Amino acid sequence: MLIKVYTAALQGIDATTITIEVNSSRGIKFFLVGLPDSAVKESHERIISALQVNGYKFPSAQIVVNMAPADVKKEGTSYDLPLAIGIMATASQIKSDKLSQYIIVGELSLDGSLQPIKGALPIAINARQKGFKGVIVPIQNAREAAVVDKIDVLGVRNIKEVINFFNGEIDITPTIVNTREEFYKNQTNYPYDFAEVKGQESVKRALEIAAAGGHNILMIGPPGSGKSMMAKRLPSILPPLSLKESLETTKIYSVAGKLSRDSSLITCRPFRNPHHTISQIAMVGGGSTPQPGEISLANHGVLFLDELPEFNKSVLEVLRQPLEDRRISISRAKYSLEYPTNFMMVASMNPCPCGYYNHPTRECICNPGQVQRYMGKISGPLLDRIDIQIEIVPVPFEKISDTRKSESSAAIRERVIAARNIQEERFADEPGIYCNAQMSAKHLDRYAEIDDKCRSLLRNAMNRFDLSARAYERIIKISRTIADLAGRESITVQDISEAVLFRNLDRSTWQKIG
């Protein structure tokens, strides 16, 4: 008897339908073909135990299972449940009339209970696209999959429920999630707020400009000056996620298995803070079992690299292409995947190994050679992709002890949203460009033209501070964002003057020592 059951395999952040064909004949052997990995092959033992514990008998026959298409690698344990259902159906212990209507996924425990799987959301999206009536998933993944509408999402606890459902002995109520209500309800729940930050007005201004224009930013300052504290608050002033951005980010977290049981959507912009010992694969993704890396988990959010020079240089260099293309292509001998990497990079560093170069009260004990080696860990091409470089000094006691609240994140966010709306309208006819940070040289000529007064000021600033050539375009981009925040159509001298302040590492004082 030949039975077909449908499941899905993950490829990047998308899913593809897998057809499980089960045929039984006289004999006692079990064959599993179709490019399964070792975890899929081990499902045989889990299925036998799960069926026995729940009072079912594994068929005494020769069973051949084919997982098609055969050229797609089947990895992981999410195939346990569909394999078990197919085997039971070919032995006529399950009615097969409804099998073709559902995609089935789930990992079996030895007692027949189901463990959560990765990628329930893209699997549900694939099921709807392919015209299936519904998906059967572990109960832990039901809310995640139920984000997809116009499809029945059946959350089950054990294999017995699935068998009884197909035999018509029970009904399973579909899980329903009001996606829009869920999305808007938690959209502004941020754990940190700029109202809690004392002083550091210039740094807060730099972060506001970075958020408004999508600029990458580097903060340089001594230990304890507040770099990490302010970086953690940056997501609270970014524009709220759109529903499309939320779904794309949720797919990534679903594939990575990082969605909590009770969550259905990522509603706030992610903030990722990897340790400086991170490997290249953990940063960009991939591995023997492909997984999204930190740069993809930060998609539509913030990637914070604390103590930037302490990261392995090879790890920092692999960031260059994703920062430009907003996507990462991972090609290996056995697979080729693509993950989105549309993140904002925020980095922090000490000015020298001891941390006190340029400190107003403490003396630096590093010699010029040590500082040069420390700063040399960050390559010029990577610095080229960081528009804003701001120096931070410790907050004086008078500011720390001030009990008055600073400006809230909500107030700053309103100005950022207004500036982003201007940019959205400006780049409406420019595919792939959505903020000032993404402008190329041709876009600068069209959307960020400066007059003779601005050009003269910029020339004087570059000569006086001995700014590098890389600073020129960056200053104009930042000026465009400053003008947008002020609601001005044209860049003014004041905008150029402020933008020059945000290129600290290009100045001669840093170049000579660092």
Side-chain angles (χ1 to χ4, degrees), residues 22 41 108 196 211 221 247 252 388 391 417 421 448 507 512:
V22 186
K41 292 175 182 176
L108 285 173
E196 303 151 357
L247 284 169
I252 296 169
I388 298 176
E391 202 170 350
I417 292 172
N421 289 338
R507 297 182 185 179
K512 289 173 184 175

Side-chain angles (χ1 to χ4, degrees), residues 268-396:
C268 294
R269 294 192 180 271
F271 179 87
R272 302 298 299 180
N273 182 13
H275 193 261
H276 60 76
T277 56
I278 189 171
S279 67
Q280 286 188 50
I281 290 176
M283 181 66 86
V284 302
S288 56
T289 302
Q291 289 287 294
E294 287 292 331
I295 59 176
S296 295
L297 293 170
N299 189 53
H300 296 306
V302 174
L303 178 70
F304 178 47
L305 304 180
D306 197 11
E307 303 299 340
L308 187 65
E310 301 301 330
F311 282 79
N312 189 300
K313 193 163 186 176
S314 63
V315 172
L316 295 180
E317 293 307 301
V318 298
L319 295 177
R320 288 158 52 179
Q321 180 260 335
L323 281 168
E324 289 288 334
D325 298 343
R326 310 280 172 171
R327 303 195 76 79
I328 178 74
S329 296
I330 301 168
S331 298
R332 301 289 186 268
K334 295 182 179 180
Y335 63 85
S336 180
L337 301 174
E338 189 173 83
Y339 293 117
T341 61
N342 191 3
F343 63 91
M344 207 179 131
M345 189 176 84
V346 180
S348 71
M349 58 179 286
N350 293 331
C352 64
C354 79
Y356 296 106
Y357 173 66
N358 270 0
H359 195 280
T361 58
R362 298 188 62 168
E363 185 178 351
C364 174
I365 61 172
C366 304
N367 61 51
Q370 289 176 306
V371 179
Q372 186 176 12
R373 285 192 297 273
Y374 186 75
M375 297 296 295
K377 293 179 180 180
I378 308 169
S379 70
L382 182 62
L383 280 176
D384 270 343
R385 289 158 176 81
I386 301 176
D387 290 348
I388 298 176
Q389 304 156 359
I390 181 78
E391 202 170 350
I392 302 180
V393 294
V395 181

Side-chain angles (χ1 to χ4, degrees), residues 202-278:
S202 62
V203 184
K204 284 191 279 188
R205 173 63 174 170
L207 289 170
E208 178 182 340
I209 294 168
H215 303 286
N216 300 319
I217 182 171
L218 172 63
M219 296 179 284
I220 312 128
S225 56
K227 302 185 293 294
S228 300
M229 176 187 67
M230 285 184 282
K232 289 176 182 177
R233 285 159 175 77
L234 182 59
S236 69
I237 64 171
L238 288 170
L241 283 170
S242 67
L243 188 54
K244 181 181 177 182
E245 290 173 333
S246 176
L247 284 169
E248 184 179 62
T249 304
T250 305
K251 281 173 68 177
I252 296 169
Y253 276 72
S254 174
V255 168
K258 294 187 179 295
L259 279 178
S260 62
R261 176 175 176 175
D262 297 326
S263 66
S264 55
L265 274 177
I266 300 289
T267 56
C268 294
R269 294 192 180 271
F271 179 87
R272 302 298 299 180
N273 182 13
H275 193 261
H276 60 76
T277 56
I278 189 171

Side-chain angles (χ1 to χ4, degrees), residues 181-193 232-233 235-241 265-271 409-410 413:
E181 179 184 332
E182 186 105 351
F183 175 66
Y184 291 112
K185 180 176 68 175
N186 302 313
Q187 203 175 30
T188 56
N189 291 343
Y190 298 103
Y192 306 105
D193 196 288
K232 289 176 182 177
R233 285 159 175 77
S236 69
I237 64 171
L238 288 170
L241 283 170
L265 274 177
I266 300 289
T267 56
C268 294
R269 294 192 180 271
F271 179 87
S409 291
R413 188 166 62 248

